Amino acid sequence: MGTHGDHAVVMGAGMGGLLAARVLAGHYESVTVLDRDPLPDTAEPRRGVPQGPHGHTLLPRGGLSLEAWFPGLLADLNGRGVPVITDDADEIHFEPLGHHLTGTAPGTDHPIHVPSRPMLEHRVRAHLARAPTVRILERCAVDGPRTEGGRMTGVRVTGPDGPFELAADLVVDALGRGSRTPAWLGELGFPRPAEDTVTVRAAYSSLQLRVDPGALTEKMVLISATAGRSSGAAIFRHEDDMWDVSVFGVRGHAPPADAAGMLDFLAGFAPPHVVEALRSAEPLTEPDSRTFPASRWRRYDRMSALPDGLLVLGDGVCSLNPTYGQGMTVAAMQAEALAATLREGTRDLPRRYFRAAAKPIRDTWHLAAVADRAILGDTTGPLPWPIRALAPLGDTFFGAVAADPVLRERFLEVFSLFSPPTRLLTPAAGLRIARGALRRQQGRADTTQPEPRSGASPVRSRPPMR
Ligand SMILES: Cc1cc2nc3c(=O)[nH]c(=O)nc-3n(C[C@H](O)[C@H](O)[C@H](O)COP(=O)(O)OP(=O)(O)OC[C@H]3O[C@@H](n4cnc5c(N)ncnc54)[C@H](O)[C@@H]3O)c2cc1C
């Protein structure tokens, strides 16, 4: 404890900030987490996390990482009624694979948990608050940096009792897409980071419903957009029989923003029994509609000089197309990179951390880019050639995966972020994909579906995620 300094400050108490604080608690005498929101004692959405009411899946890789940082978290979630997916093949419906899958994390016997995003954050915050050296300050908005001689020495904050300053040996920016670091770098005399972007033009409408227990065997229905259809859905059963229903469009297609319209939209591509169960469910909230313009990776890892005392973690570094459900898991992997870097001391910390964090980000970015290129077309910018090779396969690839248990296992490993996408690029995998394609050519029906005709509206009228 406390080997690296007296005090570390984490700006932002979202999933990235909570994870960062947990890591820092092992290395600094005390850690302060600041958030401008009131932080409720219950699992409820809050203003500073506008994505909260939109369907969130915790990928198995993220679940394992959270459990390692907060032992007992998953049992705690389970005890609060958070569903767990078992090996019952009817509990996940996942398209484009077009059939049900089992719920165990690939290569492990670890079941998949399905907490709502507010429940997950609430319980992670509660577990973090048990650490005696961590304090979490709500209603404290970070206004600006404290600096001295080109390094960060703390932050300026406005709290419920007015402005104050906090000195810190290390400040971690976990402010999400509203990260302040690019602007602060200018104040400290450094250039802004370069950005890689992928234009997604996604729009979401989400609402919460109470579905009759027993009306559906599924706990998770994931329907991806495809090259031939710009719409999809993420539907999750969470605690208390509460369901998150998110419908989305990409490439500028927006789903309707009213409940009836959302379900009509869903009926264009979802299994009829699922739509039927949702139609007779009790609405718990009004729909919330947002847009997500682009995935963005700030390339701090490529900067030749960075100020001492300032790191960024979470969406502030990399914010990914949310339709793949990767963000919280990537934040957890960045936290693991931070832990590994701190174990080697604080010499040259920013450069070593950003480079270490870039490894899992790169794999995830490439995986998302393969899917984006297959679904959205050529919006992804340059990709390494082996990764580029997967993208045009699109339906051929998914057709082969659906028909081949070995490929399916590998795909799930990669999709769940346990393995890099190159795991699908071995000669043996290539052969299996080619065999699948051949079989498909010899008489399989094309599964692509047309654009939904009704209900789509322009993306522009919705508030952006930030
Ligand atoms: C529609 C949508 C769906 C998504 N679905 C998934 C999914 O299924 N699975 C998944 O893993 N990820 C998903 N994500 C991504 C995921 O939500 C994020 O990647 C993840 O939560 C990490 O966010 P973060 O902690 O970096 O930032 P945030 O969650 O944005 O947290 C930032 C925090 O900073 C605080 N803050 C902001 N400004 C200030 C200030 N000046 N002072 C103090 N505090 C401040 C905010 O109140 C907030 O608490 C989705 C994202 C979107 C947009």
Side-chain angles (χ1 to χ4, degrees):
M1 284 272 201
T3 50
H4 294 339
D6 292 337
H7 187 216
V9 164
V10 177
M11 309 186 293
M15 290 304 296
L18 299 172
L19 279 156
R22 172 63 191 85
V23 171
L24 296 176
H27 297 278
Y28 290 79
E29 289 292 339
S30 65
V31 179
T32 305
V33 186
L34 302 166
D35 205 286
R36 68 178 168 198
D37 270 2
L39 299 173
D41 258 349
T42 49
E44 57 191 86
R46 58 189 180 86
R47 199 168 161 217
V49 182
Q51 72 271 33
H54 296 264
H56 268 62
T57 175
L58 176 62
L59 292 176
R61 172 74 174 77
L64 286 182
S65 184
L66 280 169
E67 176 67 17
W69 289 115
F70 302 101
L73 173 73
L74 296 179
D76 174 14
L77 290 171
N78 208 205
R80 286 164 194 273
V82 167
V84 173
I85 296 193
T86 63
D87 261 348
D88 180 340
D90 284 343
E91 293 187 347
I92 303 184
H93 178 90
F94 179 28
E95 294 180 26
L97 294 194
H99 56 79
H100 294 68
L101 300 166
T102 56
T104 313
T108 75
D109 56 3
H110 179 83
I112 296 171
H113 288 65
V114 200
S116 67
R117 161 70 207 240
M119 172 61 89
L120 182 63
E121 187 189 292
H122 172 239
R123 294 320 300 159
V124 170
R125 192 165 65 238
H127 280 248
L128 178 68
R130 290 177 197 160
T133 57
V134 175
R135 61 179 180 155
I136 304 171
L137 301 183
E138 59 179 354
R139 295 188 175 90
C140 286
V142 177
D143 297 326
R146 257 179 54 142
T147 63
E148 201 180 298
R151 70 158 285 148
M152 284 286 290
T153 58
V155 284
R156 292 183 284 106
V157 184
T158 300
D161 301 323
F164 64 98
E165 292 194 357
L166 274 179
D169 300 295
L170 179 67
V171 174
V172 175
D173 175 346
L175 296 173
R177 283 180 70 96
S179 163
R180 297 291 178 83
T181 298
W184 289 1
L185 286 179
E187 291 177 37
L188 288 160
F190 292 84
R192 291 171 79 99
E195 291 182 359
D196 292 349
T197 56
V198 175
T199 304
V200 177
R201 292 195 300 138
Y204 268 82
S205 291
S206 302
L207 84 165
Q208 279 76 47
L209 300 168
R210 178 153 296 123
V211 178
D212 269 351
L216 288 171
T217 52
E218 290 84 352
K219 293 174 179 163
M220 214 186 243
V221 177
L222 297 168
I223 303 175
S224 173
T226 65
R229 191 193 63 227
S230 304
S231 47
I235 301 168
F236 303 107
R237 177 180 159 195
H238 298 308
E239 55 278 357
D240 300 329
D241 293 318
M242 189 266 279
W243 287 69
D244 265 333
V245 178
S246 291
V247 288
F248 62 82
V250 292
R251 297 191 290 250
H253 288 261
D258 65 292
M262 281 173 62
L263 294 180
D264 288 346
F265 181 82
L266 188 64
F269 54 87
H273 73 281
V274 173
V275 181
E276 217 36 59
L278 298 179
R279 281 195 205 281
S280 47
E282 173 198 352
L284 298 173
T285 61
E286 290 295 317
D288 184 77
S289 297
R290 305 266 162 185
T291 58
F292 181 93
S295 303
R296 183 182 57 210
W297 180 7
R298 293 203 171 105
R299 303 307 307 261
Y300 293 109
D301 57 302
R302 290 191 176 155
M303 291 180 71
S304 53
L306 287 154
D308 278 335
L310 178 62
L311 306 178
V312 194
L313 189 148
D315 282 9
V317 180
C318 181
S319 159
L320 290 143
N321 180 343
T323 67
Y324 309 130
Q326 298 163 323
M328 298 187 295
T329 298
V330 175
M333 290 157 92
Q334 290 171 65
E336 289 168 8
L338 176 60
T341 314
L342 283 171
R343 278 197 291 274
E344 307 291 317
T346 53
R347 185 194 45 79
D348 206 11
L349 180 64
R351 199 178 58 90
R352 289 191 301 115
Y353 160 68
F354 284 119
R355 289 190 182 179
K359 290 195 185 86
I361 293 174
R362 185 177 298 109
D363 284 341
T364 316
W365 183 266
H366 285 159
L367 178 63
V370 169
D372 282 337
R373 189 167 278 206
I375 295 167
L376 305 173
D378 193 12
T379 56
T380 48
L383 288 172
W385 78 262
I387 304 284
R388 217 166 50 223
L390 273 180
L393 294 177
D395 286 344
T396 307
F397 170 73
F398 283 116
V401 168
D404 180 335
V406 174
L407 270 183
R408 196 159 66 234
E409 183 70 18
R410 257 188 213 195
F411 169 76
L412 288 177
E413 250 177 72
V414 172
F415 177 80
S416 311
L417 305 184
F418 280 101
S419 300
T422 44
R423 178 100 173 100
L424 288 164
L425 291 167
T426 61
L431 205 62
R432 283 178 177 275
I433 295 169
R435 255 195 240 128
L438 206 63
R439 256 188 251 120
R440 201 177 150 88
Q441 247 184 10
Q442 286 164 353
R444 285 209 158 184
D446 189 351
T447 53
T448 55
Q449 294 175 35
E451 298 287 349
R453 261 168 303 174
S454 66
S457 61
V459 161
R460 264 195 309 255
S461 56
R462 289 129 200 268
M465 280 296 168
R466 269 193 311 260

